[in-house]
Amino acid sequence: MAPARRTAFAEGVDRLRAAATTEPGRLRIIGAVLALLVVAFGAVTAWQTGERAAAADDVLRRSQPLSSGAAGIYRSLADANTAASSGFLAGGQESAATRDRYERDIRGAAGGLVTAASSAEPGSAAEAAITRLNRLLPEYKGLIERARTYNRQGYPVGGAYLRYANEKMQQDMLPAAEDLYTKENQRLDADYADATPYPWAAIALGVVALAALGWAQHRSYRRTHRVLNHGLVAGTAATTVVLLWLVVGHMVARSGLDGSYEHGIRSLSVLHDARIASLKARGNENLSLVARGAETVTVGGKAYDAYYYDFDKDMGVLGKRLTEAGALADDGAGTTPIKAAEGNMAVWKQRHASARAEDENGNYQQALDKVIGAKGATGECFDSVDANLARAIDHEQSEFQQAAGDGRDAMTGLPVGAAVLAVLGAAGAVAGIGRRLSEYR
C-alpha cells in the first residue's frame, strides 16, 4: 500500500527545520523575522497615527466648529426671542435696530441649521433635532408677526400671541436646539477620545523590533567579532527614529489637544451657558412687563410672577457660570471681559430691582423706561454683558484653535514618514543579513 502523501504545510515545516540546522538557514530566518517586525512596526505606526491625526483634524475642522455652530443656533433663537419682546414693549415706537436684530437672529438660526444639516448623519438624533427646528421656526415667526400686528393696532390679544410664541420657543425650540448642541458635543468628545489615546500597539512593536535588531547585532558580533554590521545598524537607526518620532510626536500632540480641551472647550462651554442665561434673563425681564402679572408660579405655597421668578433663576445661573469662566481663564485677555461682565451683571441686578419696584407699585411706564429706556436702562447692562461674553468667547476660540492646531500639526507627516522609514529599515536589516550570507558562498 502506497504511503499517504504529506501535506505541503508539513513538508514546509520539515524544510524550515532542516534549514535551521545550518547557519545560512538560520540567517535567512533571522533576516525574514527582522524585516517582518520592522515592516509591521511601520505599518501599525502609520495606521494608528493616521487615525489619530484624522481625529485631531476633525476636532479642529469639523466637530468643534459644529459644536460652536449649535451653540450659535441656540443663542440666535434666544436673542431673537429677546429682541421680539423688546420690540413689542416699544409698541409703535419699535426701533429699526431692534427689528433688524430680530431679523438677523432669525437668519442666523436658519443659516446655522443649513450648515448643521449638511453634516448630520441620516437618521441620527441630530438630524431629527434639525428637522424639528426647521418646522418650528416658521411657526414661531408667524406668531411673532401676529403679535406685532395686533400690538400696533392696540389689541391686547397681541400680548397673548407673544406669550404663546415665547412658550413655543422655551418649551419646543430651545430644548431642540439644546439637544442638537448636546449631540454635537458628544461628537466632539468622541473625536477627542479617538485622537488622544497612546498608540500602545505601535510602541510595543517598536520596542520588540529594536530588541530583535539589537539581538541580531550581538549575535553577529559573537560569531564574527565585527563590531558593526552596516545594514543592521541602518535598520536599527531607522527603527529608532520612527519610535522616537512616534513617542515624542504623540506626546506633543496629546499635550496640545488636552490643552485645547482644558483651556478652550471647557471655557467655551461655560461661556456659551453664561451667554444663554443672560439672554433668557433679558427675555423674562421683558415678558414680565408684557404679561403684567398674568403668568404666575407657586413655589412653597407662595405665588410669584412667573417671569420675574425665572429671571432670578437665570441671573443665578449667569453669576455661577461667570465665576466658573473666571476660574478657567488662564490669562488677562480671558479674565478681563469676564470681570467686566460680572460688573455689568451687578449693575443690571440693581437696575432690575428698581424697575421691578416701580412695576409692583403700579408705575408701569416708569418700569418700562427703566427696562427699555434710552439711558440708564437694564437693556444697556444686558448689551454690555453680551458684548463682553462675546469677547471672551472669541478669545477662548482663538486659544482652542492655536492649541488644537499645534496638537494636530505634531503628527503631520508621521504616518507617511513611519511607513517610508520602516521600509528602509527592513531593507537595511535584510542587506545586513545578506552580507553575512555572502560569506558562506
Side-chain angles (χ1 to χ4, degrees), residues 282-345:
R282 179 59 177 172
N284 282 315
E285 185 176 48
N286 289 340
L287 286 165
S288 66
L289 296 178
V290 173
R292 300 193 184 188
E295 301 287 340
T296 61
V297 61
T298 302
V299 180
K302 186 176 179 181
Y304 296 90
D305 181 290
Y307 296 114
Y308 279 145
Y309 182 80
D310 287 340
F311 172 87
D312 291 337
K313 287 199 306 182
D314 294 331
M315 292 299 277
V317 172
L318 174 60
K320 183 178 179 181
R321 293 295 179 265
L322 287 176
T323 299
E324 293 174 359
L328 289 171
D330 57 349
D331 57 16
T335 303
T336 299
I338 294 171
K339 288 183 177 179
E342 289 177 327
N344 301 144
M345 183 188 70

Side-chain angles (χ1 to χ4, degrees), residues 281-282 285 311 315 318-319 322 338-356 370-371 375-385 388:
R282 179 59 177 172
E285 185 176 48
F311 172 87
M315 292 299 277
L318 174 60
L322 287 176
I338 294 171
K339 288 183 177 179
E342 289 177 327
N344 301 144
M345 183 188 70
V347 177
W348 185 0
K349 292 170 72 173
Q350 293 171 1
R351 293 182 180 180
H352 172 79
S354 177
R356 183 185 293 192
K370 290 179 180 293
V371 172
K375 187 175 181 180
T378 59
E380 291 180 349
C381 301
F382 162 71
D383 288 339
S384 296
V385 168
N388 280 308

Side-chain angles (χ1 to χ4, degrees), residues 12 30-31 35 71 88 101 153 161 181 210 216 278 312 373 390 400 423:
I30 290 170
F88 186 92
R101 181 171 184 168
Q153 294 173 356
Y161 273 108
Y181 180 51
L210 276 180
S278 72
D312 291 337
F400 160 79
V423 171

Side-chain angles (χ1 to χ4, degrees), residues 54-87:
D57 191 65
D58 283 343
V59 165
L60 184 63
R61 296 181 180 275
R62 187 193 67 168
S63 51
Q64 195 282 326
L66 288 173
S67 174
S68 290
I73 291 171
Y74 193 114
R75 182 202 169 275
S76 293
L77 292 174
D79 194 54
N81 202 45
T82 298
S85 61
S86 296

Side-chain angles (χ1 to χ4, degrees), residues 270-287:
V270 171
L271 288 168
H272 283 311
D273 287 346
R275 202 173 188 191
I276 288 167
S278 72
L279 286 162
K280 291 171 73 174
R282 179 59 177 172
N284 282 315
E285 185 176 48
N286 289 340
L287 286 165

Side-chain angles (χ1 to χ4, degrees), residues 62-354:
R62 187 193 67 168
S63 51
Q64 195 282 326
L66 288 173
S67 174
S68 290
I73 291 171
Y74 193 114
R75 182 202 169 275
S76 293
L77 292 174
D79 194 54
N81 202 45
T82 298
S85 61
S86 296
F88 186 92
L89 285 174
Q93 303 301 316
E94 180 182 7
S95 68
T98 301
R99 178 77 187 200
D100 289 345
R101 181 171 184 168
Y102 168 81
E103 295 293 346
R104 185 170 61 250
D105 286 330
I106 293 296
R107 289 195 301 270
L113 289 171
V114 171
T115 301
S118 66
S119 65
E121 297 179 1
S124 65
E127 184 185 51
I130 294 167
T131 300
R132 187 181 182 194
L133 284 169
N134 277 324
R135 175 177 56 82
L136 291 170
L137 189 57
E139 296 177 8
Y140 173 80
K141 289 175 62 180
L143 290 171
I144 292 296
E145 291 308 318
R146 288 185 184 181
R148 281 177 168 155
T149 299
Y150 287 123
N151 188 44
R152 284 194 297 267
Q153 294 173 356
Y155 295 143
V157 72
Y161 273 108
L162 183 67
R163 292 195 298 274
Y164 185 32
N166 176 70
E167 182 179 327
K168 184 176 288 290
M169 177 65 74
Q170 299 294 340
Q171 297 182 8
D172 297 325
M173 299 177 70
L174 291 183
E178 184 176 9
D179 185 53
L180 176 62
Y181 180 51
T182 299
K183 295 299 185 294
E184 295 299 352
N185 277 343
Q186 289 173 350
R187 187 193 304 201
L188 176 60
D189 289 342
D191 285 338
Y192 266 108
D194 290 339
T196 54
Y198 281 102
W200 291 117
I203 292 173
L205 270 174
V207 171
V208 171
L210 276 180
L213 286 164
W215 172 83
Q217 290 179 82
H218 179 67
R219 183 180 185 278
S220 177
Y221 170 73
R222 289 179 59 189
R223 282 168 169 71
T224 66
H225 298 290
R226 295 171 186 163
V227 177
L228 298 177
N229 179 301
H230 293 155
L232 291 177
V233 169
T236 302
T239 304
T240 301
V241 168
V242 174
L243 184 59
L244 288 175
W245 191 0
L246 169 65
V247 172
V248 174
H250 184 75
M251 287 178 63
V252 173
R254 184 186 176 96
S255 176
L257 290 169
D258 285 346
S260 72
Y261 189 87
E262 290 297 321
H263 303 296
I265 297 301
R266 289 182 61 195
S267 293
L268 284 169
S269 178
V270 171
L271 288 168
H272 283 311
D273 287 346
R275 202 173 188 191
I276 288 167
S278 72
L279 286 162
K280 291 171 73 174
R282 179 59 177 172
N284 282 315
E285 185 176 48
N286 289 340
L287 286 165
S288 66
L289 296 178
V290 173
R292 300 193 184 188
E295 301 287 340
T296 61
V297 61
T298 302
V299 180
K302 186 176 179 181
Y304 296 90
D305 181 290
Y307 296 114
Y308 279 145
Y309 182 80
D310 287 340
F311 172 87
D312 291 337
K313 287 199 306 182
D314 294 331
M315 292 299 277
V317 172
L318 174 60
K320 183 178 179 181
R321 293 295 179 265
L322 287 176
T323 299
E324 293 174 359
L328 289 171
D330 57 349
D331 57 16
T335 303
T336 299
I338 294 171
K339 288 183 177 179
E342 289 177 327
N344 301 144
M345 183 188 70
V347 177
W348 185 0
K349 292 170 72 173
Q350 293 171 1
R351 293 182 180 180
H352 172 79
S354 177

